[in-house]
């Protein structure tokens, strides 16, 4: 039996009961918290303070790590948190197992999964619009989408890497996914013509 390395989750998984369960079962985790959670140090009887207020003086790209704190107001859950002020001014607050040395690196890996979901759904293949009810057909569609997504990624980041135009406002003209999808379609059309 292999032990799970770490559970990653976004804000919707940051509820206290779930974090308490992971602690009790000694399952490593790294979960982003919504703004507005309260905590206090285990060594003090101070009134709980919001994470947002505690980190108010953090400058962009500064990070703080707090160990052995109680999360919540009523319920006391012993945790570690790492807080980073992003360049946008937002806070990235990660609640994590004490043994995780660099939780930000672990959490960053979650974005490759997010990009896959975006490619499958709204920014690509529009999986949600399919009216497929059979489990076998859904599995076949997911297999085909996975192969197509791999092709899109290859055309975006593989050899002959796609160049994406940056507009005056600083944003990309197209997403990486859309660029790779367009290149894949163009190559397929070129192959059919020749």
């Amino acid at each position: 039996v292999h032990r799970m390395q770490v559970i990653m989750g976004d804000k919707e998984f940051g509820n206290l009961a779930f974090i308490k369960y992971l602690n009790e079962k000694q399952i490593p985790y790294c979960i982003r918290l919504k703004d507005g959670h309260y905590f206090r140090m285990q060594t003090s009887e101070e009134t709980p303070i919001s994470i947002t207020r505690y980190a108010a003086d953090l400058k962009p790209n500064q990070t703080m790590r707090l160990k052995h704190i109680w999360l919540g107001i009523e319920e006391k859950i012993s945790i570690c948190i790492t807080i980073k002020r992003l360049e946008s001014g937002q806070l990235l607050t990660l609640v994590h197992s004490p043994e995780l040395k660099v939780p930000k690196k672990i959490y960053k890996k979650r974005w490759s999964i997010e990009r896959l979901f975006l490619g499958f759904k709204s920014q690509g293949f529009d999986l949600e619009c399919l009216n497929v009810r059979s489990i076998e057909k859904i599995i076949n569609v997911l297999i085909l989408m996975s192969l197509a997504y791999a092709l899109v990624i290859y055309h975006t980041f593989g050899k002959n890497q796609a160049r994406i135009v940056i507009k005056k406002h600083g944003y990309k003209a197209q997403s990486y996914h859309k660029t790779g999808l367009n290149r894949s379609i163009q190559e397929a059309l070129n192959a059919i013509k020749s």
Side-chain angles (χ1 to χ4, degrees):
V1 176
H2 293 287
R3 183 166 169 78
M4 188 181 309
Q5 284 188 326
V6 65
I7 287 182
M8 291 184 285
D10 208 1
K11 296 176 185 179
E12 60 270 9
F13 294 100
N15 72 61
L16 298 181
F18 184 56
I19 294 167
K20 183 177 182 180
Y21 173 83
L22 294 173
N23 273 348
E24 288 170 358
K25 299 295 180 184
Q26 298 181 341
I27 299 170
Y29 60 92
C30 181
I31 298 172
R32 186 171 183 179
L33 287 180
K34 291 180 182 177
D35 294 340
H37 276 278
Y38 283 77
F39 77 93
R40 67 183 171 83
M41 300 298 177
Q42 288 181 10
T43 55
S44 80
E45 290 299 321
E46 292 178 25
T47 306
I49 184 170
S50 77
I51 291 170
T52 307
R53 187 167 164 215
Y54 188 82
D57 293 335
L58 270 183
K59 306 277 185 269
N61 292 319
Q62 278 188 325
T63 301
M64 68 170 58
R65 183 178 172 127
L66 303 169
K67 297 179 180 180
H68 311 297
I69 64 170
W70 295 120
L71 185 63
I73 296 174
E74 301 296 322
E75 181 107 38
K76 294 179 181 177
I77 301 171
S78 178
I79 57 148
C80 292
I81 60 173
T82 297
I83 308 167
K84 179 180 181 177
R85 173 83 57 196
L86 302 175
E87 286 185 28
S88 66
Q90 271 188 308
L91 286 179
L92 171 67
T93 305
L94 301 174
V95 57
H96 55 86
S97 308
E99 66 270 16
L100 298 183
K101 302 297 179 218
V102 191
K104 290 180 296 181
K105 282 187 180 178
I106 291 169
Y107 184 75
K108 196 173 184 178
K109 291 179 181 181
R110 191 187 70 74
W111 285 107
S112 58
I113 298 166
E114 265 320 299
R115 281 196 301 267
L116 174 69
F117 288 157
L118 283 172
F120 275 17
K121 298 190 315 188
S122 60
Q123 291 185 6
F125 301 120
D126 224 359
L127 175 65
E128 294 162 326
C129 287
L130 292 177
N131 192 15
V132 179
R133 302 221 190 284
S134 159
I135 294 295
E136 283 180 23
K137 288 180 182 177
I138 290 171
I139 290 169
N140 289 337
V141 166
L142 289 174
I143 290 169
L144 287 173
M145 284 178 133
S146 298
L147 292 170
Y149 187 77
L151 188 64
V152 165
I153 294 301
Y154 172 78
H155 284 296
T156 306
F157 298 108
K159 56 184 181 172
N160 302 328
Q161 197 173 89
R163 293 214 173 120
I164 297 176
V165 176
I166 305 295
K167 292 191 165 193
K168 288 180 184 177
H169 51 59
Y171 293 103
K172 296 183 213 85
Q174 283 185 325
S175 68
Y176 288 118
H177 181 268
K178 196 60 129 180
T179 301
L181 184 59
N182 289 343
R183 285 184 76 184
S184 299
I185 291 168
Q186 191 58 51
E187 286 207 15
L189 292 173
N190 290 345
I192 291 169
K193 288 177 186 176
S194 54

